Amino acid sequence: MKTQAIRIHAHGGPEVLSLDEVEIPAPGPGEALVRNTAIGVNYADIYEREGDHGGPHSAKPFPVTMGHMAVGVVETPGADGPGAGTRVGYIGGNSYAGHTLVPAARLFPLPDALSDEVAGGYLLRGLTAEYLVRRLYPLGPGKVAVVHAAAGGMGLLLGQWGKALGARMIGTVGSPEKAALAKTFGYESTIDYSAGDFAPQVMELTGGVGAEVIYDGIGKAAFRKSLDCIRPRGMVISYGTASGNVGEFDLQLLHSKSIIVTRPTLRSWIADPEEARAAAVATFAALTSDDIDTPIGAVLPLAEAAEAHRRLEGRETTAPIVLKP
Ligand SMILES: NC(=O)c1ccc[n+]([C@@H]2O[C@H](COP(=O)([O-])OP(=O)(O)OC[C@H]3O[C@@H](n4cnc5c(N)ncnc54)[C@H](OP(=O)(O)O)[C@@H]3O)[C@@H](O)[C@H]2O)c1
């Protein structure tokens, strides 16, 4: 069958995204055919388009069908997977398309309480927030956490989930408007880094001790300063690089405070099927709870993927953008 897909034939800016008609082969063993209804636009898509990120988003052979997740309806089920007509979400490639082949065992059936659009905007971010606040560095009462880019898609979720777990959440943001927004999404305090360094302000807000954990989705522009405001034996989680890769750094920078640094990817945290199922249960419970609001910033036609990328990398967005085939 044929479907429309956003593909790249070269790396580059948003202009390399091309709306193509592509042939989808019949599902192979264990594969399901999903008709996508809401496709999440995530920062990983920008790394994939630019092609210089390394790590799990490193270059695939051209042409590459873009995307890292979507939700939709199973049209052709795969063995041991959800049946035809089931609403599902998945984390996986080739999602910027009308239809996508997905390993049936990796499909997450969606609860009725989660709309297609909200699941499209928050499934990947929700599973990421789940491992960040529950498993990699479990937040709870008495913990002080800093989240960079607190008014972004990940930031709005982390602030609310961390607060719901009882932690004290401090958010850093790039404008006064984003500071005001973050305060309504779980953050007790916000720091506008466009007006000055965040590290001294984190130290002041924590009585001179520093935060126990820093969730850093910014990378290059924030990583080194985060080491200045983490407390002894604290953890700096470099989970994203919106401003560029961190690059090489001297391990000795960690020595004086026994700092723990990690560079995680969602893939490793949902690779085990049992862990993935448990993560999805916790994520769906959080996303449908009264503690967490899940606004959607914009819903655009799939053909306008380039506009979605311009807004996200141009720092214009707060809540997630969803594409509709
Ligand atoms: N490792 C994982 O498992 C995993 C999974 C999902 C997402 N992530 C990461 O989570 C982060 C957030 O993802 P998201 O999709 O929700 O994006 P987002 O936070 O909505 O957007 C990125 C934000 O980063 C900030 N930023 C700072 N410097 C920037 C620069 N030079 N260029 C662009 N943005 C800059 C901007 O906020 P301000 O204007 O406030 O600075 C911008 O809005 C990304 O780094 C992504 O890679 C990681």
Side-chain angles (χ1 to χ4, degrees):
M1 69 170 289
K2 292 204 183 300
T3 195
Q4 289 209 313
I6 296 285
R7 299 197 299 180
I8 54 171
H9 301 262
H11 293 124
E15 69 284 352
V16 300
L17 298 177
S18 135
L19 183 64
D20 297 345
E21 190 166 89
V22 299
E23 180 70 30
I24 301 207
E31 277 186 331
L33 179 68
V34 177
R35 177 174 56 81
N36 298 318
T37 54
I39 302 159
V41 177
N42 293 278
Y43 227 91
D45 307 343
I46 289 170
Y47 307 142
E48 181 171 59
R49 195 201 69 217
E50 289 176 334
D52 55 3
H53 185 257
H57 309 293
S58 52
K60 303 175 198 159
F62 296 122
V64 175
T65 300
M66 293 286 300
H68 289 83
M69 63 88 45
V71 306
V73 177
V74 175
E75 277 199 354
T76 310
D80 301 329
T86 311
R87 289 176 66 239
V88 292
Y90 61 88
I91 306 298
N94 304 321
S95 66
Y96 278 28
H99 288 77
T100 303
L101 291 171
V102 185
R106 302 299 300 182
L107 292 171
F108 298 107
L110 296 177
D112 291 344
L114 208 55
S115 71
D116 285 8
E117 283 176 9
V118 170
Y122 286 95
L123 179 63
L124 187 146
R125 291 180 176 90
L127 289 166
T128 303
E130 188 281 329
Y131 83 74
L132 290 174
V133 302
R134 291 179 79 239
R135 293 189 281 155
L136 177 52
Y137 193 98
L139 292 180
K143 302 283 186 200
V144 182
V146 168
V147 175
H148 293 321
M154 279 300 304
L156 296 181
L157 199 48
L158 288 169
Q160 298 178 92
W161 204 334
K163 182 183 178 189
L165 290 168
R168 182 180 162 212
M169 305 302 289
I170 299 173
T172 72
V173 292
S175 71
E177 295 74 24
K178 288 185 176 182
L181 179 74
K183 280 227 170 157
T184 64
F185 281 83
Y187 294 96
E188 181 185 296
S189 320
T190 51
I191 298 168
D192 175 2
Y193 40 60
S194 70
D197 262 10
F198 63 80
Q201 295 181 68
V202 170
M203 292 307 283
E204 201 180 315
L205 285 167
T206 55
V209 251
E212 270 145 336
V213 58
I214 298 182
Y215 298 102
D216 174 16
I218 291 182
K220 188 176 183 178
F223 177 76
R224 287 289 298 271
K225 291 173 193 159
S226 296
L227 303 181
D228 294 338
C229 57
I230 193 80
R231 72 179 58 183
R233 295 167 56 180
M235 187 186 287
V236 177
I237 302 176
S238 175
Y239 78 97
T241 55
S243 71
N245 292 341
V246 169
E248 290 178 14
F249 76 100
D250 185 355
L251 207 55
Q252 284 308 109
L253 291 170
L254 312 182
H255 190 182
S256 62
K257 291 195 282 183
S258 303
I259 300 169
I260 302 162
V261 170
T262 175
R263 175 67 178 99
T265 172
L266 172 61
R267 291 169 198 228
S268 322
W269 289 84
I270 56 166
D272 175 77
E274 277 310 309
E275 280 191 337
R277 264 189 287 277
V281 168
T283 300
F284 293 151
L287 294 179
T288 55
S289 77
D290 292 340
D291 291 326
I292 295 187
D293 272 345
T294 49
I296 293 298
V299 179
L300 299 177
L302 177 62
E304 290 180 28
E307 172 60 16
H309 279 217
R310 275 186 207 100
R311 290 187 200 175
L312 181 59
E313 65 190 325
R315 302 164 80 159
E316 290 174 29
T317 58
T318 52
I321 300 180
V322 170
L323 299 173
K324 288 262 182 200

